[in-house]
Amino acid sequence: MTSPRAARLWGGRFGAETAAVIERLNNSLSFDARLWREDIEGSIAHARMLGASGIIPGDEAEKIVEGLQGVLAGLESGSQSLDPSAEDIHTAVEALLRDRVGPVAGKLHTARSRNDQVATDLRLYLRRAIAAIQGAIADLQAALIERADGEMGVVMPGYTHLQHAQPVLLSHHLLAYFWMLQRDRERLRDGLARVDVLPLGSGALAGTTFSIDRDAVASELGFAGVSENSLDAVSDRDFVLEFLADAAILMVHCSRLGEELVLWSSQEFGFVRLDDAVTTGSSIMPQKKNPDGAELARGKAGRVIGSLMALLTVMKGLPLAYNKDMQEDKEGLFDAVETVLLVLPALSLMIRTAAFDGNAMCRSMQGDFSTATDLADALVRSGMPFREAHAVVGRLVRACLDRGIGLEDLTPTEIAAIAPETAVLDWVDLSVSASVAARATHGGTALDAVASQLARAREVLKR
Ligand code: ARG
């Protein structure tokens, strides 16, 4: 089975048609069509430079640039579309240019290869994608700040091993995600420095015989600099891998937040009621309200992590320089960008519309021994070594469990009877609010500490 040669940029040395199955295997337009804007922008800068450097006549360069601007406008308005039979986006754009300006379109590819072209397109795409993602992260951070501010003073159980550990402020818990997301935003910003390098001018792999002006192209496209090694520039995708790693870590954070919402909205926890707008129903059980959005924030982390693993695996055995394997960089990248840009605003909405139930949080802490550390700390303050205090309080906990009461139900006399070592103690407030208030150090969960944390979070978000 063969198919007639669709629009393509090669063919002179071929006697037979490409087999249809190979054409299907080779074709990338179905996904790299997303790069149309970047491909045209890169070509406009390249054509201008070819004209300005005298590599092609100035009037022809102008004609090409105007043609490309026409293609850009045509695609933007939808009055024009890409030929679906084209091999890839580069071929499809050049075909549209040829329709507009005729054979002079053939001069655009002077001193250029699809290898440096696609690397350029991808970097232009990623620059935009990173900016959009940073905006979406910042919005989720803003949502967390709003809710942390509004819920100041609400105490909830803090967990380790998913067992009640020590009381914390709900605001403190919410702000934990603020800082994770802050590092995600910083990681993306740091990675941008390595994306922001122009590969165009590297040719297929060895550079070009024309005296091109790479700096002019870089400055027109807003790149911070040009690549130093043509082999490296056309054949590495570490900037994609780095982005995918950043996106995977970001999705792990989204996934954990999603998991908290799933847990907290369950009957067992009852800490939050998710809004009708962010939940879905069951086709059979009329009473159900399912946290599908939160579950998908968790579930979709899998595909982004998968895309990182996939591209690492694609790249690990490739000799220099360009290999067609590298075409496999795109679907995972596009999917990661689109997934992140879907999940982040969904989480923002879930957080903004969540109805937290402070009473349920409070009830869940009755008799949970989550202030046992506070009692041990009080014993330490009266001179007892911490290890000893730990053992004494452990004994008190056991006695309470036997009697079916909580630590806070013990009177000082009872405490002294069970553990005479505690006789040195004055009365200790074992309420959850006293426990929270006592953790007043920088980064702790006391009201004032969280208030200044909130102020710093606001400050960081404004930067
Ligand atoms: N579609 C290709 C890719 O994404 C473009 C580069 C093709 N280069 C080549 N020599 N065939 O990698």
Side-chain angles (χ1 to χ4, degrees):
M1 283 288 288
T2 60
S3 73
R5 296 243 150 106
R8 65 180 178 194
L9 305 174
W10 47 273
R13 62 102 65 221
F14 289 83
E17 298 296 337
T18 313
V21 64
I22 298 300
E23 209 156 80
R24 273 207 313 281
L25 177 62
N26 192 44
N27 191 287
S28 57
L29 187 69
S30 64
F31 46 91
D32 69 14
R34 283 179 183 74
L35 296 172
W36 61 271
R37 189 186 299 277
E38 288 77 14
D39 197 70
I40 296 170
E41 283 169 358
S43 287
I44 288 175
H46 182 67
R48 281 215 178 101
M49 180 279 292
L50 290 178
S53 312
I55 296 169
I56 65 173
D59 58 323
E60 290 184 349
E62 220 164 280
K63 217 171 150 191
I64 291 173
V65 169
E66 277 164 19
L68 285 166
Q69 284 164 340
V71 173
L72 189 65
L75 290 173
E76 248 160 18
S77 71
S79 69
Q80 236 176 350
S81 54
L82 301 165
D83 172 4
S85 69
E87 180 182 340
D88 55 26
I89 184 59
H90 324 296
T91 312
V93 167
E94 200 175 308
L96 288 176
L97 178 64
R98 190 177 310 268
D99 291 346
R100 274 178 187 265
V101 302
V104 72
K107 295 203 174 184
L108 169 62
H109 213 53
T110 310
R112 185 175 78 170
S113 150
R114 276 184 294 171
N115 297 349
D116 54 352
Q117 188 180 355
V118 74
T120 304
D121 291 3
L122 220 46
R123 285 169 184 269
L124 287 170
Y125 167 85
L126 208 39
R127 267 194 343 202
R128 272 204 184 104
I130 286 174
I133 292 169
Q134 281 177 315
I137 296 175
D139 185 59
L140 178 52
Q141 288 180 293
L144 289 163
I145 283 184
E146 288 157 28
R147 298 313 307 268
D149 193 9
E151 303 291 328
M152 254 333 204
V154 174
V155 182
M156 65 171 288
Y159 295 83
T160 63
H161 313 267
L162 199 56
Q163 308 280 323
H164 286 204
Q166 289 170 353
V168 294
L169 288 187
L170 169 60
S171 305
H172 194 50
H173 194 119
L174 292 173
L175 286 176
Y177 284 94
F178 173 92
W179 298 107
M180 293 179 225
L181 294 166
Q182 178 58 25
R183 291 190 296 278
D184 288 324
R185 221 149 48 90
E186 288 170 7
R187 257 187 291 276
L188 288 166
R189 184 200 60 202
D190 296 346
L192 203 52
R194 284 170 291 281
V195 174
D196 205 16
V197 176
L198 177 76
L200 201 64
S202 300
L205 74 164
T208 172
T209 58
F210 297 95
S211 43
I212 55 173
D213 183 351
R214 297 190 65 202
D215 293 322
V217 178
S219 87
E220 169 152 3
L221 292 175
F223 281 103
V226 304
S227 55
E228 292 294 344
N229 182 304
S230 60
L231 292 165
D232 174 38
V234 294
S235 73
D236 209 342
R237 291 293 181 269
D238 55 1
F239 65 100
V240 180
L241 287 170
E242 193 175 347
F243 168 79
L244 286 173
D246 295 348
I249 296 171
L250 166 63
M251 282 303 296
V252 166
H253 292 153
C254 291
S255 176
R256 296 185 73 182
L257 181 54
E259 165 67 358
E260 306 255 33
L261 293 175
V262 171
L263 275 179
W264 291 7
S265 62
S266 69
Q267 281 80 1
E268 283 70 17
F269 278 77
F271 288 180
V272 71
R273 207 163 15 80
L274 296 178
D275 198 80
D276 282 1
V278 302
T279 46
T280 51
S282 156
S283 61
I284 173 169
M285 296 167 282
Q287 86 284 10
K288 286 300 290 288
K289 176 163 158 177
N290 296 326
D292 295 38
E295 292 166 79
L296 285 166
R298 188 177 60 188
K300 288 207 181 271
R303 59 199 297 150
V304 178
I305 295 167
S307 294
L308 169 62
M309 293 308 140
L311 186 58
L312 283 167
T313 312
V314 165
M315 295 303 297
K316 66 174 278 295
L318 296 184
L320 298 185
Y322 178 84
N323 299 271
K324 196 60 178 256
D325 314 47
M326 289 160 62
Q327 180 165 285
E328 289 292 307
D329 59 1
K330 286 174 202 61
E331 285 155 290
L333 170 62
F334 297 148
D335 186 79
V337 170
E338 284 157 24
T339 299
V340 163
L341 287 176
L342 189 57
V343 166
L344 286 168
L347 275 174
S348 297
L349 185 63
M350 285 180 238
I351 292 295
R352 284 205 169 92
T353 57
F356 296 107
D357 188 343
N359 291 328
M361 295 175 184
C362 195
R363 275 197 306 278
S364 80
M365 287 182 289
Q366 277 160 20
D368 72 348
F369 302 104
S370 60
T371 58
T373 316
D374 297 82
L375 181 55
D377 283 355
L379 290 171
V380 166
R381 261 182 223 105
S382 71
M384 191 182 285
F386 182 77
R387 275 297 142 237
E388 206 177 307
H390 187 285
V392 167
V393 177
R395 235 163 51 229
L396 285 170
V397 167
R398 193 146 40 86
C400 287
L401 284 171
D402 288 346
R403 295 169 51 187
I405 60 169
L407 216 44
E408 62 276 20
D409 300 324
L410 286 174
T411 63
T413 342
E414 285 175 310
I415 294 182
I418 300 164
E421 306 93 316
T422 61
V424 282
L425 262 191
D426 289 334
W427 184 76
V428 189
D429 184 353
L430 291 180
S431 67
V432 294
S433 49
S435 170
V436 164
R439 285 166 174 76
T441 45
H442 188 145
T445 197
L447 202 61
D448 284 354
V450 175
S452 39
Q453 179 190 165
L454 190 59
R456 280 189 297 275
R458 281 212 169 87
E459 209 42 55
V460 161
L461 192 59
K462 256 194 272 151
R463 281 210 299 263

